[in-house]
Amino acid sequence: MSHPIRIPQHIAIIMDGNGRWAQKRSHPRVFGHIRGASRIKEIVLEANRLGVKALTLYAFSTENWSRPEGELSVLWKLLKKFLQKEERELHQNNVCLRVIGEVERLGGDVRQVLDPVVQKLSQNTGLQLNFAVSYGSRRELARACALFAKDCLEGKQKPEDMNDELMTRYLWTSGLGKLSDVDLLIRTSGEYRISNFLLWQAAYAEFIFSDVYWPDFRASHLKEAIEQYSKRDRRFGGIATQVRA
Ligand code: FPP
């Protein structure tokens, strides 16, 4: 019996395997990043076309700062290039762009390109696209605790009022509102880890691990992942009949 396709509202992707993709072809690792960056547009437009409401892409983690200087500078160049090249088409497709992570750590040259693009797309009502840049979920949670403590000291909040819903308002993903919970988390390249990504938001996410390296990941792979997701029985700790009801 074929299932109707259920489209996840929020998909998060760990775009992994760029370095190995390049090394397998005896190219320097940065070739993988170049190819990887060129895959992003197709996936964003496909998610938008399918009616996905939010897409969060892990572009750079807090731990990635330890990579060699040369690799870092290529990653920043690619981010700038992507924004400059795709801004128009993202806008035409009604895509709203946000950045989650320690934006204050990014170089002035990156901010100069990033900030106006985020501003320009901020009123769009289609796909909510989040780039996780200098993002780490532990940092996000620690920061949320500090912000909440500060609000308590200033009399704006009370410790006893803290709950799951209130917590989401202190996270970097707060701009997503009710969409901040991840429904489907995809990791490419055959690694089975969450790597400090959306630990709170993915509490009840379905996980799909694809063997495909990110530079080879296409719209058809996204559709396959969504089809697999459609067949999963999501119970959120309850039993199947309750969830369906
Ligand atoms: C993982 O590959 C990928 C990254 C560290 C970052 C993802 C970056 C891109 C897709 C390109 C640039 C980004 C944007 C937003 C334009 P890896 O280097 O960890 O691969 P490996 O595990 O095979 O070494």
Side-chain angles (χ1 to χ4, degrees), residues 2-123:
S2 70
H3 289 253
I5 292 294
R6 244 180 330 133
I7 302 294
Q9 293 205 52
H10 183 177
I11 299 181
I13 308 182
I14 303 179
M15 308 182 286
D16 195 13
N18 293 348
R20 279 165 288 157
W21 180 91
Q23 279 160 346
K24 245 180 80 176
R25 290 161 177 77
S26 308
H27 292 317
R29 293 173 51 80
V30 293
F31 268 65
H33 293 317
I34 296 168
R35 175 65 86 99
S38 78
R39 301 303 322 137
I40 292 176
K41 183 169 89 172
E42 180 180 317
I43 300 304
V44 169
L45 294 182
E46 180 69 355
N48 197 25
R49 195 184 69 78
L50 291 169
V52 173
K53 295 204 162 67
L55 176 68
T56 303
L57 301 176
Y58 208 177
F60 191 88
S61 74
T62 45
E63 291 73 27
N64 287 151
W65 286 107
S66 64
R67 295 195 174 199
E69 197 49 53
E71 186 169 336
L72 293 181
S73 84
V74 170
L75 284 169
W76 299 128
K77 265 196 204 130
L78 288 170
L79 177 61
K80 287 189 283 184
K81 200 171 144 205
F82 173 86
L83 295 164
Q84 285 161 335
K85 191 157 165 256
E86 311 302 349
E87 172 184 359
R88 227 175 99 105
E89 201 168 342
L90 292 176
H91 195 40
Q92 281 166 351
N93 282 277
N94 200 20
V95 173
C96 172
L97 176 70
R98 289 194 187 86
V99 174
I100 58 169
E102 309 166 302
V103 273
E104 61 285 354
R105 276 182 85 177
L106 307 183
D109 59 323
V110 177
R111 293 294 295 273
Q112 237 178 4
V113 179
L114 180 65
D115 293 354
V117 177
V118 168
Q119 176 61 33
K120 174 150 188 222
L121 306 186
S122 65
Q123 300 306 314

Side-chain angles (χ1 to χ4, degrees), residues 158-197:
K158 293 207 269 322
E160 58 272 27
D161 290 340
M162 178 43 96
N163 58 26
D164 292 4
E165 195 278 322
L166 182 55
M167 183 69 174
T168 63
R169 294 196 232 153
Y170 285 90
L171 300 176
W172 275 317
T173 46
S174 61
L176 286 177
K178 288 193 187 326
L179 287 174
S180 69
D181 275 358
V182 175
D183 297 301
L184 169 61
L185 192 145
I186 301 170
R187 183 175 189 139
T188 61
S189 90
E191 302 285 1
Y192 306 139
R193 287 188 294 277
I194 190 161
S195 298
N196 204 9
F197 190 42

Side-chain angles (χ1 to χ4, degrees), residues 14-15 20 53 67 88 91 96 108 110 124 127 134-135 146 149-150 154 156 170 186 214 222-223 226-227 244:
I14 303 179
M15 308 182 286
R20 279 165 288 157
K53 295 204 162 67
R67 295 195 174 199
R88 227 175 99 105
H91 195 40
C96 172
V110 177
N124 288 343
L127 179 75
S134 192
Y135 175 88
K150 190 163 172 278
E154 291 171 3
K156 295 181 195 151
Y170 285 90
I186 301 170
W214 176 254
L222 180 71
K223 271 176 84 178
I226 293 175
E227 275 161 24
R244 283 193 198 107

